Amino acid sequence: MDDQLRHLHALVGEWETDGAHPLLPGEDIRGRATFEWLDGERFLVQRAHYDHPAIPDAVAVIGVTDGRLAMHYFDSRGVHRVYEVSAGPGKWEFRREDPDFAQQFTGTFSDDGTTLTTRGRMSRNGEDWEDDLTLTYRRTAV
């Protein structure tokens, strides 16, 4: 797990986001995100704000809980979800397996680490997957 925590360092900093959601065709979803370590660098805190009213602002805490790398997600709608997380060179992924609403999220860093391209997918029955929120993160500060 320590290796995966080490790979999360690539997220630390401030980012501008730009994306799309299939339920909002033609609408640009812009926002900002920050990632910072709690003291001790065992938990990474993400804060996300979106300018689009249909996309909720969120806070997530990523770290090792119950022996595995996980993310606890909370948003402005009052939603709380727990995701399994993996991180490696140039990658950040999280997923949750729920038969009523499963999600997968894959992020790939550019070679210079200044851009993170993400793709979200969801399934409402555990079998059929469809596109979800996609975002491009552009680093503005470390």
Side-chain angles (χ1 to χ4, degrees):
M1 292 300 171
D2 289 332
D3 248 7
Q4 291 190 49
L5 280 174
R6 181 175 50 83
H7 290 297
L8 292 176
H9 279 281
L11 291 165
V12 173
E14 298 175 13
W15 304 80
E16 289 182 355
T17 58
D18 183 29
H21 195 289
L23 296 178
L24 302 166
E27 297 188 39
D28 195 26
I29 299 168
R30 295 187 181 273
R32 297 171 300 288
T34 60
F35 293 83
E36 64 182 332
W37 289 107
L38 286 178
D39 289 343
E41 295 189 4
R42 303 302 297 169
F43 292 97
L44 185 66
V45 178
Q46 175 190 9
R47 290 178 177 83
H49 168 78
Y50 301 98
D51 296 334
H52 196 290
I55 306 297
D57 291 348
V59 172
V61 179
I62 306 166
V64 177
T65 57
D66 298 326
R68 63 186 179 95
L69 191 58
M71 177 174 74
H72 289 254
Y73 166 92
F74 309 87
D75 72 29
S76 55
R77 301 170 297 182
V79 170
H80 167 251
R81 295 182 179 133
V82 178
Y83 295 86
E84 179 182 329
V85 177
S86 64
K91 282 191 150 185
W92 172 44
E93 300 175 335
F94 58 87
R95 69 178 346 107
R96 71 189 282 271
E97 302 298 332
D98 181 310
D100 296 323
F101 187 62
Q103 292 176 287
Q104 301 173 345
F105 177 93
T106 303
T108 305
F109 287 93
S110 62
D111 289 341
D112 65 2
T114 62
T115 303
L116 173 64
T117 304
T118 69
R119 178 180 183 217
R121 295 176 39 109
M122 65 180 184
S123 173
R124 297 182 191 279
N125 62 15
E127 294 178 18
D128 301 314
W129 289 89
E130 55 190 89
D131 288 337
D132 200 356
L133 181 65
T134 60
L135 292 170
T136 299
Y137 291 68
R138 290 182 179 78
R139 187 182 302 277
T140 58
V142 177

